[in-house]
Each structure stands twice: as structure tokens, then as C-alpha cells.
Amino acid sequence: MCEERARMLQDQFAVSVNHVHALAILVATFHYEKQPPALDQDTFADYTARTSFERPLLSGVAYAQRVMHADREAFERQQGWIIKTMKHEPSPPQDEYAPVIYSQETVSYIEGLDMMSGEEDRENILRSRATGKAVLTRPFRLMSNHLGVVLTFPVYLVDLPPDAKVEDRVAATAGYLGGAFDVESLVENLLRQLAGNQELVVNVYDVTNHSNPLVMYGSEVPLGAPSPSHTCTLDFGDPFRNHHMICRYRSEP
Ligand code: WA2
């Protein structure tokens, strides 16, 4: 029963990641490879709303553009708003910023915010552009106040070979396409649909640091409790992170 739940969660995670990958290509194609850009907030909001069924575990997706400090004034003048921090204060001067310019309506509250102003989001942005791959944060409280993780794909201005050097990747970075896995509410919905759900307690942990497992889903039973349990490994597609699921019966049958 644990294995079945782990596979189901992993599969829904994988299809969501694949679709965010396609959205990163959509931004590269229509925002950067067309002159003038053939994408705007309304089009992005409409397309992401109509394709949200493809991303069952994501509460919303957004695109944050890379803005260097020297270009900040021109960017703000062109946009008609100023870059704010994730605490909703005007951003103090930084070397560079990652303000959200396109967002799905479900996460419209991150519009205009510098995603580099949050520790977890910032680390994700830096790791995604250095590797060219999809990356995940550790579990943390999202701005929705739900426990979850953020997924980030880099968008580059030019096509890069798979073995491109980190400095070339950073130099070619246009922005970041990402979304929030609202694990707390969307995984709850997923597991509720399964038979025998009342008897089984499911917990998911980020075990990247083995001596400090982080709860990603559930909290009712502490890790290492003496009752019999089953552990399944999960692969969410970021080789830097390790996850597993622990299932146990609520009470002895
Ligand atoms: N999206 C939604 N809610 C959040 C969040 C986030 N990040 N961070 C904290 N709460 C646009 O990596 C780029 C999305 C970040 C992408």
C-alpha cells in the first residue's frame, strides 16, 4: 500500500515537472526568440490557467526575469512598477534581481516580487542556472502559508550545449520558470482518494541530509517511532535531493 502511494505521488510529481519544463520552452520561444516578444501577462495567465490540469500538484507557476542592477531603472520605468522584496518592501540595491513578470492567477501575489529575496527561492535560482536542470528547494512554508517545495527551471538567451561551463550558463541566463508544489493541500487531496486512507498514516521526508530529515508531508508520527512501518524511496527528479515515504497503520489491526 505504501509502494502504491509512493509511485502515484512520484508520477504526479513527474508529469507536473515535465509540464513546467515545457512552459520554460514556451517562454524561451515566444518571449525571447520573437522580436518584439509574442507573450504578455494576459496570454501567460490564460495559457497557464487552461493547462493547469497538466500540473496536478502545483498551486501555480510564474516567470521571473533576471535583471542586473545597472538595468533596474530602465526595467522599472518600462514595467511601471518597482521591484519589491518577498516581504513587500521596495527592494534595496542588489547586484541582480529576479522579479516575477508573468504569473498564473492562482499565485498572482508574487507578481513584481524579487524571488532572489527569499533564501530557498534564491538557492534554487542559483543552482538551476548553474546546472541547466530542474531543481527543488527543501520543504518550507510557501507564501500561501502551506508546507511545500518550489521547482525552478532556468531559461537561457541562447542554446547551450549539455556540457556548457557554469560561467557560460550564468552569462546566458534570461530568467527562471518555476512553481510551487503545495504539498500540504494537494498531496492531501491525492491520498484522500485512495482506499484504506483512514487506516494509513503517510509521511514524506526530505532526507538529503540523513542526520536531519525534514518533514515534507504529514507530521502525526515522529520519524523512528517504534510501531511497524514501511519505507519507500521517492525520486522527484532532482539528483541533489533525496526523499522517502514512511507509511504505518494508525492503530494495530
Ligand atoms: N511561488 C509560489 N509561492 C511561493 C514561492 C514561489 N516561487 N516561493 C515561496 N512561496 C518563479 O524559481 C522561480 C516561484 C519561483 C519561480
Side-chain angles (χ1 to χ4, degrees):
M1 282 225 295
C2 200
E3 198 67 37
E4 182 198 357
R5 281 162 174 75
R7 280 333 119 213
M8 178 173 254
L9 178 59
Q10 193 176 291
D11 291 351
Q12 295 232 353
F13 213 92
V15 298
S16 302
V17 171
N18 283 346
H19 201 261
V20 174
H21 191 177
L23 286 174
I25 295 169
L26 178 119
V27 170
T29 307
F30 293 99
H31 187 87
Y32 294 106
E33 289 162 29
K34 292 257 186 243
Q35 198 49 252
L39 196 57
D40 57 24
Q41 167 58 26
D42 286 349
T43 309
F44 186 88
D46 182 52
Y47 185 79
T48 53
R50 291 166 66 188
T51 55
S52 61
F53 67 92
E54 300 266 21
R55 306 178 300 271
L57 296 181
L58 284 164
S59 59
V61 290
Y63 177 69
Q65 180 166 304
R66 182 184 196 197
V67 176
M68 304 306 294
H69 184 68
D71 304 322
R72 175 176 178 172
E73 248 190 71
F75 172 84
E76 290 180 335
R77 209 177 319 113
Q78 187 213 341
Q79 296 287 329
W81 43 258
I82 63 159
I83 301 173
K84 287 174 265 14
T85 67
M86 288 165 75
K87 289 179 175 140
H88 301 278
E89 291 152 348
S91 175
Q94 305 285 347
D95 291 346
E96 58 176 298
Y97 313 84
V100 171
I101 60 165
Y102 298 145
S103 60
Q104 191 175 341
E105 257 170 78
T106 50
V107 291
S108 59
Y109 45 80
I110 63 173
E111 184 90 354
L113 304 186
D114 173 17
M115 299 316 285
M116 291 180 101
S117 64
E119 187 190 345
E120 294 85 359
D121 276 282
R122 179 189 179 83
E123 283 174 8
N124 237 31
I125 282 170
L126 297 178
R127 200 156 62 82
S128 75
R129 75 184 188 187
T131 60
K133 302 256 163 63
V135 300
L136 293 172
T137 64
R138 63 173 168 264
F140 71 107
R141 288 266 151 219
L142 302 170
M143 289 180 77
S144 64
N145 213 32
H146 287 157
L147 192 59
V149 298
V150 169
L151 166 72
T152 302
F153 272 95
V155 174
Y156 297 109
L157 293 163
V158 295
D159 261 328
L160 290 162
D163 63 346
K165 290 208 249 359
V166 171
E167 57 263 39
D168 294 336
R169 292 195 171 280
V170 173
T173 301
Y176 321 95
L177 198 295
F181 279 99
D182 189 324
V183 176
E184 189 166 346
S185 70
L186 297 175
V187 173
E188 187 79 36
N189 288 339
L190 178 72
L191 296 175
R192 228 204 323 265
Q193 296 162 17
L194 294 171
N197 186 46
Q198 311 80 280
E199 300 96 74
L200 210 62
V201 180
V202 175
N203 285 260
V204 177
Y205 296 89
D206 178 325
V207 289
T208 305
N209 176 355
H210 247 281
S211 54
N212 182 29
L214 305 170
V215 176
M216 184 161 158
Y217 173 76
S219 60
E220 290 157 75
V221 182
L223 192 62
S227 74
S229 67
H230 189 78
T231 304
C232 296
T233 59
L234 288 160
D235 183 357
F236 290 143
D238 180 350
F240 178 77
R241 296 213 179 271
N242 298 112
H243 299 91
H244 68 208
M245 179 181 277
I246 298 181
C247 303
R248 66 186 87 230
Y249 286 103
R250 211 170 280 283
S251 53
E252 289 306 295

